[in-house]
Amino acid sequence: AKRVGNRFPLIADPDCEIIKAYGAEAAAYTTLVDSDRIILKTHPGYSARSLSQLSYELARLSRSRTMPPSFTDGPKELVFGCPLVNEL
């Protein structure tokens, strides 16, 4: 998070409680949740495009005047993390 300069919170889930409740099958799921705790967008992985979309949506929701970071060096296709079957 520090390396790419994101300005939004990340949630750690060391005991996999959120993962189990959410039904995620692989690492690197990205989910945007608004202040009313409503899921607005989910990506089962990440790419330069999905990270940019989420960053702009976060900026819009937070009414930020700061430009979101650039993810042009990110993967062009959606990248999935390792399967979570062994973790659950």
Side-chain angles (χ1 to χ4, degrees):
K2 289 178 185 177
R3 187 175 48 141
V4 297
N6 72 320
R7 295 179 179 92
F8 47 87
L10 300 174
I11 301 172
D13 188 21
D15 297 323
C16 300
E17 292 176 17
I18 297 169
I19 291 168
K20 290 175 189 172
Y22 187 66
E25 296 177 9
Y29 266 54
T30 308
T31 302
L32 177 62
V33 181
D34 71 8
S35 60
D36 294 323
R37 299 180 181 173
I38 295 173
I39 294 173
L40 300 177
K41 185 161 230 126
T42 298
H43 295 277
Y46 67 96
S47 66
R49 183 173 184 228
S50 70
L51 291 172
S52 292
Q53 287 173 343
L54 287 166
S55 293
Y56 279 102
E57 188 65 17
L58 281 167
R60 185 186 70 76
L61 289 170
S62 65
R63 298 185 176 131
S64 174
R65 295 178 192 251
T66 304
M67 286 298 294
S70 171
F71 295 100
T72 55
D73 291 335
K76 301 220 183 301
E77 299 295 324
L78 202 58
V79 174
F80 302 90
C82 59
L84 297 173
V85 175
N86 295 333
E87 299 297 322
L88 304 175

Coordinates of all heavy atoms in Angstrom, one line a residue:
A1 N 0.8 -1.2 0.0 CA 0.0 0.0 0.0 C 0.9 1.3 0.0 O 0.6 2.2 -0.7 CB -0.9 0.0 1.2
K2 N 1.9 1.3 0.8 CA 2.8 2.4 0.8 C 3.5 2.6 -0.5 O 3.7 3.7 -0.9 CB 3.8 2.3 2.0 CG 3.2 2.4 3.3 CD 4.2 2.2 4.4 CE 3.5 2.3 5.8 NZ 4.5 2.0 6.9
R3 N 4.0 1.5 -1.1 CA 4.7 1.6 -2.3 C 4.0 2.2 -3.4 O 4.5 3.0 -4.2 CB 5.2 0.2 -2.7 CG 6.2 0.2 -3.9 CD 6.7 -1.2 -4.1 NE 5.6 -2.1 -4.2 CZ 5.5 -3.1 -5.0 NH1 6.4 -3.4 -5.8 NH2 4.4 -3.9 -4.9
V4 N 2.7 1.9 -3.6 CA 1.9 2.4 -4.7 C 1.2 3.7 -4.3 O 0.6 4.4 -5.1 CB 0.9 1.4 -5.3 CG1 1.6 0.2 -5.9 CG2 -0.1 1.0 -4.2
G5 N 1.3 4.1 -3.0 CA 0.7 5.4 -2.6 C -0.8 5.4 -2.5 O -1.4 6.5 -2.6
N6 N -1.4 4.3 -2.2 CA -2.9 4.4 -2.1 C -3.3 5.1 -0.8 O -2.5 5.2 0.1 CB -3.5 3.0 -2.1 CG -3.3 2.2 -0.8 OD1 -2.2 2.2 -0.3 ND2 -4.3 1.5 -0.3
R7 N -4.5 5.7 -0.9 CA -4.9 6.6 0.2 C -6.2 6.0 0.8 O -7.0 6.8 1.4 CB -5.1 8.0 -0.3 CG -3.9 8.6 -0.7 CD -4.1 10.0 -1.3 NE -2.9 10.6 -1.7 CZ -2.3 10.6 -2.9 NH1 -3.0 10.0 -3.8 NH2 -1.2 11.2 -3.1
F8 N -6.5 4.8 0.7 CA -7.7 4.2 1.2 C -7.3 3.0 2.2 O -6.2 2.5 2.1 CB -8.6 3.7 0.1 CG -8.0 2.8 -0.9 CD1 -7.8 1.5 -0.8 CD2 -7.5 3.4 -2.1 CE1 -7.2 0.7 -1.8 CE2 -6.9 2.7 -3.1 CZ -6.7 1.3 -2.9
P9 N -8.2 2.8 3.1 CA -7.8 1.7 4.1 C -7.9 0.3 3.6 O -8.6 0.0 2.7 CB -8.9 1.9 5.2 CG -10.1 2.6 4.5 CD -9.5 3.4 3.4
L10 N -7.0 -0.5 4.1 CA -7.0 -1.9 3.8 C -7.3 -2.7 5.1 O -7.0 -2.2 6.2 CB -5.6 -2.3 3.3 CG -5.1 -1.6 2.0 CD1 -3.7 -2.1 1.8 CD2 -6.0 -1.9 0.9
I11 N -8.0 -3.8 4.9 CA -8.4 -4.6 6.1 C -7.7 -5.9 6.1 O -7.7 -6.6 5.1 CB -9.9 -4.8 6.1 CG1 -10.7 -3.5 6.1 CG2 -10.3 -5.7 7.3 CD1 -12.2 -3.7 5.9
A12 N -6.9 -6.2 7.1 CA -6.2 -7.5 7.3 C -7.3 -8.5 7.8 O -8.2 -8.2 8.6 CB -5.1 -7.3 8.2
D13 N -7.1 -9.7 7.4 CA -8.0 -10.8 7.8 C -7.2 -12.0 8.1 O -7.3 -13.1 7.5 CB -9.0 -11.1 6.7 CG -10.1 -12.0 7.1 OD1 -10.4 -12.2 8.3 OD2 -10.7 -12.6 6.1
P14 N -6.3 -12.0 9.2 CA -5.4 -13.1 9.5 C -6.1 -14.4 9.8 O -5.5 -15.5 9.6 CB -4.6 -12.6 10.6 CG -5.4 -11.5 11.3 CD -6.2 -10.9 10.1
D15 N -7.3 -14.4 10.3 CA -8.0 -15.6 10.7 C -9.0 -16.0 9.7 O -9.8 -16.9 9.9 CB -8.7 -15.4 12.1 CG -7.7 -15.2 13.2 OD1 -6.7 -15.8 13.2 OD2 -8.1 -14.3 14.1
C16 N -9.1 -15.3 8.5 CA -9.9 -15.7 7.4 C -11.4 -15.6 7.7 O -12.2 -16.2 7.0 CB -9.6 -17.1 6.8 SG -7.9 -17.2 6.3
E17 N -11.8 -14.8 8.6 CA -13.2 -14.6 9.0 C -14.0 -13.9 7.9 O -15.1 -14.3 7.5 CB -13.4 -13.9 10.3 CG -12.9 -14.7 11.5 CD -12.9 -13.9 12.8 OE1 -13.7 -12.9 12.8 OE2 -12.3 -14.3 13.8
I18 N -13.4 -12.8 7.4 CA -14.1 -12.1 6.3 C -14.1 -12.9 5.0 O -15.1 -13.0 4.3 CB -13.3 -10.7 6.1 CG1 -13.4 -9.9 7.3 CG2 -13.9 -10.0 4.9 CD1 -12.6 -8.6 7.3
I19 N -13.0 -13.6 4.7 CA -12.9 -14.4 3.5 C -13.9 -15.5 3.5 O -14.6 -15.7 2.5 CB -11.5 -15.1 3.5 CG1 -10.4 -14.0 3.2 CG2 -11.4 -16.2 2.4 CD1 -9.0 -14.5 3.3
K20 N -14.1 -16.2 4.7 CA -15.1 -17.2 4.8 C -16.5 -16.6 4.6 O -17.4 -17.2 3.8 CB -15.0 -17.9 6.1 CG -13.8 -18.8 6.2 CD -13.7 -19.3 7.7 CE -12.3 -20.0 7.9 NZ -12.1 -20.4 9.3
A21 N -16.8 -15.5 5.2 CA -18.2 -14.9 5.1 C -18.5 -14.4 3.7 O -19.6 -14.5 3.3 CB -18.3 -13.8 6.2
Y22 N -17.4 -13.9 3.1 CA -17.6 -13.4 1.7 C -17.6 -14.4 0.7 O -18.1 -14.2 -0.4 CB -16.4 -12.4 1.5 CG -16.5 -11.6 0.2 CD1 -17.6 -10.7 0.0 CD2 -15.6 -11.8 -0.8 CE1 -17.6 -10.0 -1.1 CE2 -15.7 -11.1 -2.0 CZ -16.7 -10.2 -2.1 OH -16.8 -9.5 -3.3
G23 N -17.0 -15.6 0.9 CA -17.0 -16.6 0.0 C -15.9 -16.5 -1.1 O -16.0 -17.0 -2.2
A24 N -14.9 -15.7 -0.8 CA -13.8 -15.5 -1.7 C -13.0 -16.9 -1.9 O -12.8 -17.6 -1.0 CB -12.8 -14.5 -1.2
E25 N -12.7 -17.1 -3.2 CA -12.1 -18.4 -3.6 C -10.6 -18.2 -3.8 O -9.9 -19.2 -3.9 CB -12.7 -19.0 -4.8 CG -14.2 -19.3 -4.5 CD -14.9 -19.9 -5.8 OE1 -14.2 -20.1 -6.8 OE2 -16.1 -20.0 -5.7
A26 N -10.1 -17.0 -4.0 CA -8.7 -16.8 -4.3 C -8.3 -15.5 -3.6 O -9.1 -14.6 -3.3 CB -8.4 -16.7 -5.8
A27 N -7.0 -15.3 -3.4 CA -6.5 -14.1 -2.8 C -6.6 -13.0 -3.8 O -6.8 -13.2 -5.0 CB -5.0 -14.3 -2.4
A28 N -6.5 -11.8 -3.3 CA -6.5 -10.5 -4.1 C -7.9 -10.1 -4.6 O -8.1 -9.4 -5.6 CB -5.6 -10.6 -5.3
Y29 N -9.0 -10.6 -4.0 CA -10.3 -10.1 -4.2 C -10.3 -8.6 -3.8 O -9.7 -8.2 -2.8 CB -11.4 -10.8 -3.4 CG -12.1 -11.9 -4.1 CD1 -11.4 -13.0 -4.7 CD2 -13.5 -12.0 -4.2 CE1 -12.0 -14.0 -5.3 CE2 -14.1 -13.0 -4.8 CZ -13.4 -14.1 -5.4 OH -14.0 -15.1 -6.0
T30 N -10.9 -7.7 -4.6 CA -11.0 -6.3 -4.2 C -12.5 -5.9 -4.2 O -13.2 -6.2 -5.1 CB -10.3 -5.5 -5.3 OG1 -9.0 -6.0 -5.5 CG2 -10.2 -4.0 -4.9
T31 N -12.9 -5.3 -3.1 CA -14.3 -5.0 -2.9 C -14.4 -3.6 -2.4 O -13.7 -3.2 -1.5 CB -14.9 -5.9 -1.9 OG1 -14.8 -7.3 -2.4 CG2 -16.4 -5.6 -1.7
L32 N -15.3 -2.8 -3.0 CA -15.5 -1.4 -2.6 C -16.8 -1.4 -1.8 O -17.8 -1.8 -2.3 CB -15.6 -0.5 -3.8 CG -16.0 0.9 -3.5 CD1 -14.9 1.6 -2.7 CD2 -16.1 1.7 -4.9
V33 N -16.7 -0.9 -0.6 CA -17.9 -0.9 0.3 C -18.1 0.6 0.7 O -17.2 1.3 1.1 CB -17.6 -1.7 1.6 CG1 -18.8 -1.6 2.5 CG2 -17.3 -3.1 1.2
D34 N -19.3 1.1 0.6 CA -19.6 2.5 0.9 C -19.8 2.7 2.4 O -19.7 1.8 3.2 CB -20.7 3.0 0.1 CG -22.1 2.5 0.5 OD1 -22.2 1.8 1.5 OD2 -23.1 2.8 -0.3
S35 N -20.0 3.9 2.8 CA -20.1 4.3 4.2 C -21.4 3.7 4.8 O -21.5 3.6 6.1 CB -20.1 5.8 4.4 OG -21.2 6.4 3.7
D36 N -22.3 3.2 4.0 CA -23.5 2.5 4.5 C -23.3 1.0 4.6 O -24.3 0.3 4.8 CB -24.7 2.9 3.7 CG -25.1 4.3 3.8 OD1 -25.0 4.9 4.9 OD2 -25.6 4.9 2.8
R37 N -22.1 0.6 4.3 CA -21.7 -0.8 4.3 C -22.3 -1.6 3.2 O -22.6 -2.8 3.3 CB -22.0 -1.5 5.7 CG -21.2 -0.8 6.8 CD -21.6 -1.5 8.1 NE -20.9 -0.8 9.2 CZ -21.0 -1.1 10.5 NH1 -21.9 -2.0 10.8 NH2 -20.4 -0.4 11.4
I38 N -22.6 -1.0 2.1 CA -23.1 -1.6 0.9 C -22.0 -1.9 -0.1 O -21.2 -1.0 -0.4 CB -24.2 -0.8 0.3 CG1 -25.4 -0.6 1.3 CG2 -24.7 -1.3 -1.1 CD1 -26.5 0.3 0.8
I39 N -21.9 -3.1 -0.6 CA -20.9 -3.5 -1.5 C -21.3 -2.8 -2.9 O -22.4 -3.1 -3.4 CB -20.8 -5.0 -1.7 CG1 -20.2 -5.6 -0.4 CG2 -19.9 -5.4 -2.9 CD1 -20.2 -7.1 -0.3
L40 N -20.4 -2.0 -3.4 CA -20.7 -1.3 -4.6 C -20.0 -2.0 -5.8 O -20.6 -1.9 -6.9 CB -20.1 0.1 -4.6 CG -20.7 1.0 -3.5 CD1 -20.1 2.4 -3.5 CD2 -22.2 1.2 -3.7
K41 N -18.9 -2.6 -5.6 CA -18.2 -3.2 -6.8 C -17.2 -4.2 -6.2 O -16.6 -4.0 -5.2 CB -17.4 -2.1 -7.5 CG -16.7 -2.6 -8.7 CD -16.4 -1.4 -9.6 CE -16.9 -1.7 -11.0 NZ -17.7 -1.1 -11.8
T42 N -17.1 -5.3 -7.0 CA -16.2 -6.4 -6.6 C -15.4 -6.9 -7.8 O -16.0 -7.0 -8.9 CB -17.0 -7.6 -6.0 OG1 -17.7 -7.1 -4.8 CG2 -16.1 -8.7 -5.6
H43 N -14.1 -7.1 -7.6 CA -13.3 -7.7 -8.6 C -12.6 -8.9 -8.0 O -12.0 -8.8 -7.0 CB -12.2 -6.7 -9.1 CG -12.7 -5.5 -9.7 ND1 -13.0 -5.5 -11.1 CD2 -12.9 -4.3 -9.3 CE1 -13.5 -4.3 -11.4 NE2 -13.4 -3.5 -10.3
P44 N -12.7 -10.1 -8.6 CA -12.1 -11.3 -8.1 C -10.6 -11.4 -8.5 O -10.2 -12.4 -9.1 CB -12.9 -12.4 -8.7 CG -13.4 -11.9 -10.0 CD -13.6 -10.4 -9.8
G45 N -9.9 -10.3 -8.3 CA -8.5 -10.2 -8.6 C -8.2 -8.7 -8.8 O -8.9 -7.9 -8.3
Y46 N -7.2 -8.4 -9.6 CA -6.9 -7.0 -9.8 C -6.1 -6.9 -11.2 O -5.5 -7.8 -11.7 CB -6.0 -6.4 -8.7 CG -4.6 -7.0 -8.6 CD1 -3.5 -6.4 -9.2 CD2 -4.4 -8.2 -7.9 CE1 -2.3 -6.9 -9.2 CE2 -3.1 -8.8 -7.9 CZ -2.1 -8.1 -8.5 OH -0.8 -8.6 -8.4
S47 N -6.3 -5.7 -11.7 CA -5.6 -5.3 -12.9 C -5.4 -3.8 -12.8 O -5.9 -3.1 -12.0 CB -6.4 -5.7 -14.1 OG -7.6 -4.9 -14.2
A48 N -4.6 -3.3 -13.8 CA -4.4 -1.8 -13.8 C -5.8 -1.1 -13.9 O -6.1 -0.1 -13.2 CB -3.5 -1.4 -15.0
R49 N -6.6 -1.7 -14.8 CA -7.9 -1.1 -15.0 C -8.8 -1.1 -13.8 O -9.5 -0.1 -13.4 CB -8.6 -1.7 -16.2 CG -10.0 -1.1 -16.5 CD -10.5 -1.7 -17.8 NE -11.8 -1.0 -18.2 CZ -12.9 -1.6 -18.5 NH1 -12.9 -2.9 -18.6 NH2 -14.0 -0.9 -18.8
S50 N -8.9 -2.3 -13.1 CA -9.8 -2.4 -12.0 C -9.3 -1.6 -10.8 O -10.1 -1.0 -10.1 CB -9.9 -3.9 -11.5 OG -8.7 -4.4 -11.0
L51 N -8.0 -1.5 -10.6 CA -7.5 -0.6 -9.6 C -7.7 0.8 -9.8 O -8.1 1.6 -8.9 CB -6.0 -0.9 -9.4 CG -5.6 -2.3 -8.8 CD1 -4.1 -2.5 -8.9 CD2 -6.1 -2.5 -7.4
S52 N -7.6 1.2 -11.1 CA -7.9 2.6 -11.5 C -9.4 2.9 -11.2 O -9.7 4.0 -10.7 CB -7.5 2.9 -12.9 OG -6.1 2.8 -13.1
Q53 N -10.3 2.0 -11.7 CA -11.7 2.2 -11.5 C -12.0 2.4 -10.0 O -12.8 3.3 -9.6 CB -12.5 1.0 -12.0 CG -12.5 1.0 -13.5 CD -13.2 -0.3 -14.0 OE1 -13.3 -1.3 -13.3 NE2 -13.6 -0.3 -15.3
L54 N -11.5 1.5 -9.2 CA -11.7 1.5 -7.7 C -11.2 2.8 -7.1 O -11.8 3.4 -6.3 CB -11.1 0.3 -7.0 CG -11.9 -1.0 -7.3 CD1 -11.1 -2.2 -6.9 CD2 -13.3 -1.0 -6.6
S55 N -10.0 3.2 -7.6 CA -9.4 4.5 -7.0 C -10.2 5.7 -7.4 O -10.5 6.6 -6.5 CB -8.0 4.6 -7.6 OG -7.1 3.7 -7.1
Y56 N -10.7 5.8 -8.6 CA -11.5 6.9 -9.0 C -12.9 6.9 -8.2 O -13.4 7.9 -7.8 CB -11.8 6.9 -10.5 CG -10.6 7.5 -11.2 CD1 -9.7 6.7 -11.9 CD2 -10.4 8.9 -11.2 CE1 -8.6 7.3 -12.5 CE2 -9.3 9.5 -11.9 CZ -8.4 8.7 -12.5 OH -7.3 9.2 -13.2
E57 N -13.4 5.7 -8.1 CA -14.7 5.6 -7.3 C -14.5 6.0 -5.9 O -15.3 6.7 -5.3 CB -15.3 4.2 -7.4 CG -16.6 4.0 -6.8 CD -17.7 4.8 -7.6 OE1 -17.5 5.3 -8.7 OE2 -18.8 5.0 -7.0
L58 N -13.4 5.6 -5.3 CA -13.1 6.0 -3.9 C -12.9 7.5 -3.8 O -13.4 8.2 -2.9 CB -11.8 5.3 -3.4 CG -12.0 3.9 -2.9 CD1 -10.6 3.3 -2.8 CD2 -12.7 3.9 -1.6
A59 N -12.2 8.1 -4.8 CA -12.1 9.6 -4.8 C -13.4 10.3 -4.9 O -13.7 11.3 -4.2 CB -11.1 10.0 -5.9
R60 N -14.3 9.7 -5.8 CA -15.6 10.3 -5.9 C -16.4 10.2 -4.6 O -17.0 11.2 -4.2 CB -16.3 9.6 -7.1 CG -17.7 10.3 -7.4 CD -18.5 9.5 -8.4 NE -18.9 8.2 -7.9 CZ -20.0 8.0 -7.1 NH1 -20.7 9.1 -6.7 NH2 -20.4 6.8 -6.7
L61 N -16.4 9.0 -4.0 CA -17.2 8.8 -2.8 C -16.7 9.7 -1.7 O -17.5 10.1 -0.8 CB -17.2 7.3 -2.4 CG -18.0 6.4 -3.3 CD1 -17.6 4.9 -2.9 CD2 -19.5 6.6 -3.2
S62 N -15.4 9.9 -1.6 CA -14.9 10.7 -0.5 C -14.8 12.2 -0.8 O -14.3 12.9 0.0 CB -13.5 10.1 -0.1 OG -12.6 10.3 -1.2
R63 N -15.2 12.5 -2.1 CA -15.1 13.9 -2.5 C -13.7 14.5 -2.4 O -13.5 15.6 -2.1 CB -16.1 14.8 -1.8 CG -17.5 14.3 -2.0 CD -18.5 15.2 -1.3 NE -19.9 14.8 -1.7 CZ -20.8 14.6 -0.8 NH1 -20.6 14.9 0.5 NH2 -22.0 14.2 -1.2
S64 N -12.8 13.6 -2.8 CA -11.4 14.0 -2.7 C -11.0 14.8 -3.9 O -11.4 14.5 -5.0 CB -10.5 12.7 -2.7 OG -9.1 13.1 -2.8
R65 N -10.2 15.8 -3.7 CA -9.7 16.6 -4.8 C -8.3 16.1 -5.3 O -7.8 16.6 -6.3 CB -9.6 18.1 -4.4 CG -11.0 18.7 -4.1 CD -10.8 20.1 -3.6 NE -12.1 20.6 -3.1 CZ -12.8 21.5 -3.7 NH1 -12.5 22.0 -4.8 NH2 -14.0 21.9 -3.1
T66 N -7.8 15.1 -4.6 CA -6.5 14.6 -5.0 C -6.7 13.6 -6.1 O -7.6 12.7 -6.0 CB -5.9 13.9 -3.7 OG1 -5.8 14.8 -2.7 CG2 -4.5 13.4 -4.1
M67 N -5.8 13.6 -7.1 CA -5.9 12.6 -8.2 C -5.5 11.3 -7.6 O -4.5 11.1 -6.9 CB -5.0 13.0 -9.3 CG -5.5 14.2 -10.1 SD -7.0 13.8 -10.9 CE -6.5 12.6 -12.1
P68 N -6.2 10.2 -8.0 CA -5.8 8.9 -7.6 C -4.5 8.5 -8.2 O -4.1 9.0 -9.2 CB -7.0 8.0 -8.1 CG -8.1 8.9 -8.3 CD -7.5 10.2 -8.7
P69 N -3.8 7.5 -7.6 CA -2.5 7.1 -8.2 C -2.7 6.4 -9.5 O -3.8 5.9 -9.8 CB -2.0 6.1 -7.1 CG -3.2 5.7 -6.4 CD -4.1 6.8 -6.4
S70 N -1.6 6.4 -10.3 CA -1.7 5.7 -11.6 C -1.3 4.3 -11.5 O -0.4 3.9 -10.7 CB -0.7 6.4 -12.5 OG -0.5 5.7 -13.7
F71 N -2.0 3.4 -12.1 CA -1.7 2.0 -12.1 C -1.3 1.5 -13.5 O -1.5 0.3 -13.8 CB -2.9 1.2 -11.6 CG -3.3 1.5 -10.2 CD1 -4.3 2.4 -9.9 CD2 -2.5 0.9 -9.2 CE1 -4.6 2.7 -8.6 CE2 -2.9 1.2 -7.8 CZ -3.9 2.1 -7.5
T72 N -0.7 2.4 -14.3 CA -0.4 2.0 -15.7 C 0.6 0.9 -15.8 O 0.7 0.2 -16.8 CB 0.2 3.2 -16.5 OG1 1.3 3.8 -15.8 CG2 -0.9 4.3 -16.7
D73 N 1.4 0.7 -14.7 CA 2.4 -0.4 -14.7 C 1.8 -1.7 -14.2 O 2.5 -2.7 -14.1 CB 3.6 -0.1 -13.8 CG 4.4 1.0 -14.5 OD1 4.4 1.2 -15.7 OD2 5.2 1.8 -13.7
G74 N 0.5 -1.7 -13.8 CA -0.1 -2.9 -13.3 C -0.4 -3.9 -14.4 O -0.3 -3.6 -15.6
P75 N -0.9 -5.1 -14.0 CA -1.2 -6.1 -15.0 C -2.4 -5.6 -15.9 O -3.3 -5.0 -15.5 CB -1.6 -7.3 -14.2 CG -1.8 -6.8 -12.9 CD -1.1 -5.5 -12.7
K76 N -2.2 -6.0 -17.2 CA -3.3 -5.6 -18.2 C -4.5 -6.5 -18.0 O -5.6 -6.0 -18.2 CB -2.8 -5.7 -19.6 CG -1.6 -4.7 -19.8 CD -1.6 -4.1 -21.1 CE -0.4 -3.2 -21.4 NZ -0.2 -2.2 -20.5
E77 N -4.3 -7.7 -17.7 CA -5.4 -8.7 -17.5 C -5.6 -8.9 -16.0 O -4.7 -8.7 -15.2 CB -5.1 -10.1 -18.1 CG -4.8 -10.0 -19.6 CD -6.1 -9.6 -20.4 OE1 -7.2 -10.0 -20.0 OE2 -5.9 -8.9 -21.4
L78 N -6.8 -9.3 -15.7 CA -7.2 -9.5 -14.3 C -6.3 -10.6 -13.7 O -6.2 -11.7 -14.3 CB -8.7 -9.9 -14.2 CG -9.3 -9.7 -12.8 CD1 -9.3 -8.3 -12.4 CD2 -10.8 -10.2 -12.9
V79 N -5.6 -10.4 -12.6 CA -4.7 -11.3 -11.9 C -5.4 -11.8 -10.7 O -5.9 -11.1 -9.9 CB -3.4 -10.6 -11.6 CG1 -2.5 -11.6 -10.8 CG2 -2.7 -10.1 -12.8
F80 N -5.4 -13.1 -10.6 CA -6.0 -13.8 -9.4 C -4.9 -14.2 -8.5 O -3.8 -14.6 -8.9 CB -6.8 -15.0 -9.8 CG -7.9 -14.7 -10.8 CD1 -7.6 -14.8 -12.1 CD2 -9.1 -14.4 -10.3 CE1 -8.6 -14.5 -13.1 CE2 -10.1 -14.1 -11.2 CZ -9.9 -14.1 -12.6
G81 N -5.1 -14.2 -7.2 CA -4.2 -14.6 -6.2 C -4.2 -16.2 -6.1 O -5.0 -16.9 -6.8
C82 N -3.5 -16.6 -5.1 CA -3.5 -18.1 -4.9 C -4.8 -18.5 -4.3 O -5.6 -17.8 -3.7 CB -2.4 -18.4 -3.9 SG -2.6 -17.6 -2.3
P83 N -5.2 -19.8 -4.6 CA -6.5 -20.3 -4.1 C -6.5 -20.3 -2.6 O -5.5 -20.6 -2.0 CB -6.5 -21.7 -4.7 CG -5.5 -21.8 -5.8 CD -4.5 -20.7 -5.4
L84 N -7.7 -20.0 -2.0 CA -7.8 -20.0 -0.6 C -8.3 -21.3 0.0 O -8.6 -21.4 1.2 CB -8.7 -18.8 -0.2 CG -8.2 -17.4 -0.6 CD1 -9.3 -16.4 -0.3 CD2 -6.9 -17.1 0.2
V85 N -8.5 -22.3 -0.8 CA -9.1 -23.6 -0.3 C -8.3 -24.1 0.9 O -8.9 -24.5 1.9 CB -9.1 -24.6 -1.5 CG1 -9.5 -26.0 -1.0 CG2 -10.0 -24.1 -2.6
N86 N -7.0 -24.1 0.8 CA -6.1 -24.6 1.9 C -6.2 -23.7 3.1 O -6.0 -24.2 4.2 CB -4.7 -24.7 1.4 CG -4.5 -25.7 0.3 OD1 -5.3 -26.6 0.2 ND2 -3.5 -25.5 -0.5
E87 N -6.5 -22.4 3.0 CA -6.6 -21.5 4.1 C -8.0 -21.7 4.9 O -8.0 -21.4 6.0 CB -6.5 -20.1 3.6 CG -5.2 -19.8 2.9 CD -4.0 -19.9 3.8 OE1 -4.1 -19.6 5.0 OE2 -3.0 -20.4 3.4
L88 N -9.0 -22.1 4.2 CA -10.3 -22.2 4.8 C -10.5 -23.6 5.4 O -11.2 -23.8 6.2 CB -11.4 -21.9 3.7 CG -11.2 -20.6 3.0 CD1 -12.2 -20.4 1.9 CD2 -11.3 -19.4 4.0

